[in-house]
């Protein structure tokens, strides 16, 4: 396994305001969708379940949770060097991801307000949660004399169009993998408090419950749309999205191995736990899941990570552009080849095993 990439020195657009990271396939993306199609969704098959989740979202159990206590009121100069840079990188990417969710949910709520009030209420509540998370993370960055200009991000980032079906699949996965990322990290630090070097981590237990509720909403929305789970196309799409999310997670975790090391977390084991738990949970919503127990599964994911490191090394070299491009071809082909082989592994029929998932 290749070594973790060093975290880059923060670039500033002005004093105290960090320049956004360059957009790549691994950076959090901003999305838009067909709002009319969402408004016209027939949710009657799961209206009762959706209504119960909306009531839970409206209850806003975490409305008093994200309040900075006295522990934050100190200088954090003791967190320095690579550890500081890795943590700032984590904060920025997490903040950008949460803010991306806020923008999508807020626009969905606005566009659906007079056409599908139940969905509009749900998206409004989820936008509230995502904004709260993003704001809390941005305040944490300010403890290190940096922050993100979220207004600038709104205007400057590229927005990727996904049809509603893809939005449902990907947001469900994003929320559930977010839950497992946060709760596994929280439980580790709860058991090893000497590694909890900043108070933000204490908030992750309630934080991840927001992620879980959002995921439950998208699960019910997905199951209200038969075309998203009862045909061969749906089975192919869910395998594709599971695979792309798991490959992206693997590449990102190993790129930032130094951050996890600073928390006393083994990146390889953490990646495996998050992926296995997310895959198991997805059986509650998806018609098929991936066979993460296959002896080749994690080996091929890590081979993709190794190829990703080679791509970065080539990009950072001083060679001419055309030479870099030619040198990258084998690494791209390697990642593609491993992804094809992972996709072709026999999946697990979740419709059969659903009642066994807890």
């Amino acid at each position: 396994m290749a070594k973790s990439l060093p975290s880059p020195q923060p670039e500033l657009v002005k004093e105290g305001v960090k320049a956004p990271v360059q957009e790549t396939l691994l950076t959090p993306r901003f999305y838009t969708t067909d709002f009319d199609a969402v408004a016209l969704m027939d949710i009657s098959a799961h209206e009762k379940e959706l209504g119960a989740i909306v009531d839970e979202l409206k209850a806003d159990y975490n409305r008093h949770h994200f309040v900075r206590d006295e522990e934050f009121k100190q200088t954090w100069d003791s967190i320095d060097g690579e550890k500081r840079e890795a943590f700032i990188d984590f904060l920025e990417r997490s903040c950008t991801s949460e803010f991306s969710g806020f923008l999508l949910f807020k626009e969905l709520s606005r566009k659906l307000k007079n056409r599908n009030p139940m969905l509009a209420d749900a998206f409004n509540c989820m936008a509230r949660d995502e904004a709260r998370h993003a704001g809390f993370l941005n305040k944490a960055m300010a403890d290190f004399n940096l922050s993100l200009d979220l207004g600038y991000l709104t205007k400057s980032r590229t927005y990727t169009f996904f049809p509603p079906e893809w939005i449902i699949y990907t947001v469900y996965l994003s929320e559930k993998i977010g839950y497992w990322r946060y709760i596994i990290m929280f439980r580790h630090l709860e058991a090893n408090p000497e590694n909890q070097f900043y108070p933000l981590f204490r908030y992750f237990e309630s934080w991840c419950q927001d992620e879980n509720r959002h995921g439950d909403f998208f699960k019910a929305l997905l199951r209200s749309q038969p075309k998203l789970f009862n045909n061969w196309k749906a089975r192919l799409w869910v395998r594709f999205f599971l695979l792309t999310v798991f490959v992206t997670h693997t590449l990102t975790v190993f790129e930032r191995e130094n951050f996890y090391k600073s928390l006393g977390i083994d990146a390889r084991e953490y990646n495996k736990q998050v992926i296995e738990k997310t895959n198991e949970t997805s059986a509650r919503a998806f018609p098929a899941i991936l066979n993460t127990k296959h002896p080749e599964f994690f080996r091929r994911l890590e081979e993709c990570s190794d190829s990703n490191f080679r791509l970065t090394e080539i990009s950072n070299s001083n060679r001419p552009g055309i030479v870099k491009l030619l040198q990258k071809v084998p690494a791209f082909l390697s990642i593609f080849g491993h992804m094809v082989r992972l996709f072709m592994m026999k999946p697990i029929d979740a419709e059969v095993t659903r009642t066994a998932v807890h």
Side-chain angles (χ1 to χ4, degrees), residues 300-311:
R300 292 194 180 278
L301 285 181
E302 292 181 14
E303 289 284 351
C304 290
S305 177
D306 288 343
S307 294
N308 181 56
F309 276 104
R310 288 196 288 275
L311 289 171

Side-chain angles (χ1 to χ4, degrees), residues 92-155:
E92 176 181 5
R93 291 171 185 273
S94 298
C95 180
T96 303
S97 179
E98 299 285 349
F99 189 65
S100 168
F102 159 73
L103 291 175
L104 175 64
F105 295 156
K106 194 64 180 176
E107 189 66 5
L108 279 163
S109 175
R110 189 177 71 83
K111 292 291 181 67
L112 272 58
K113 185 176 182 180
N114 297 319
R115 304 177 65 183
N116 197 323
M118 180 183 288
L119 291 186
D121 284 347
F123 288 124
N124 184 57
C125 290
M126 290 189 288
R128 172 204 67 208
D129 295 341
E130 302 287 298
R132 190 178 283 157
H133 297 170
F136 203 71
L137 287 161
N138 214 11
K139 287 179 181 178
M141 287 186 67
D143 286 340
F144 298 87
N145 303 313
L146 293 169
S147 65
L148 290 177
D149 185 340
L150 299 179
Y152 174 78
L153 273 181
T154 304
K155 299 174 183 177

Side-chain angles (χ1 to χ4, degrees), residues 46-82:
H46 282 249
E47 190 167 2
K48 185 175 181 180
E49 181 182 0
L50 284 164
I53 297 172
V54 172
D55 288 341
E56 192 172 351
L57 289 168
K58 286 181 176 179
D60 194 8
Y61 297 117
N62 282 335
R63 62 186 176 278
H64 301 305
H65 179 67
F66 295 99
V67 177
R68 287 162 59 90
D69 60 18
E70 291 297 318
E71 191 176 355
F72 286 94
K73 298 177 181 179
Q74 57 180 290
T75 61
W76 297 100
D77 294 341
S78 60
I79 304 174
D80 56 9
E82 176 62 27

Side-chain angles (χ1 to χ4, degrees), residues 206-264:
S206 294
W207 187 311
C208 70
Q209 295 304 328
D210 284 341
E211 309 284 336
N212 207 30
R213 278 186 283 271
H214 297 180
D216 287 345
F217 170 80
F218 276 93
K219 180 201 75 172
L221 185 59
L222 187 156
R223 300 304 292 188
S224 75
Q225 307 300 305
K227 67 178 181 178
L228 297 185
F229 65 87
N230 72 351
N231 56 71
W232 65 270
K233 288 183 180 180
R235 289 175 175 271
L236 291 178
W237 276 121
V238 297
R239 287 164 59 191
F240 170 78
F241 284 116
L242 281 164
L243 178 58
T244 54
V245 166
F246 293 164
V247 170
T248 301
H249 187 265
T250 301
L251 269 54
T252 303
V253 166
F254 283 112
E255 273 193 352
R256 286 152 189 85
E257 187 173 0
N258 286 336
F259 167 69
Y260 297 101
K261 189 180 297 183
S262 72
L263 297 172

Side-chain angles (χ1 to χ4, degrees), residues 9 21 45 89 107 130 132 140 157 164 170 189 267 297 327 335:
Q9 288 283 348
V21 294
D89 181 71
E107 189 66 5
E130 302 287 298
R132 190 178 283 157
R157 289 296 290 265
T170 56
L189 292 173
F297 188 83
Q327 289 180 327
I335 293 173

Side-chain angles (χ1 to χ4, degrees), residues 326-345:
L326 292 173
Q327 289 180 327
K328 287 180 178 181
V329 170
F332 280 127
L333 291 176
S334 175
I335 293 173
F336 179 75
H338 286 299
M339 290 185 69
V340 169
R341 287 171 174 80
L342 286 163
F343 185 81
M344 296 303 292
M345 288 178 182

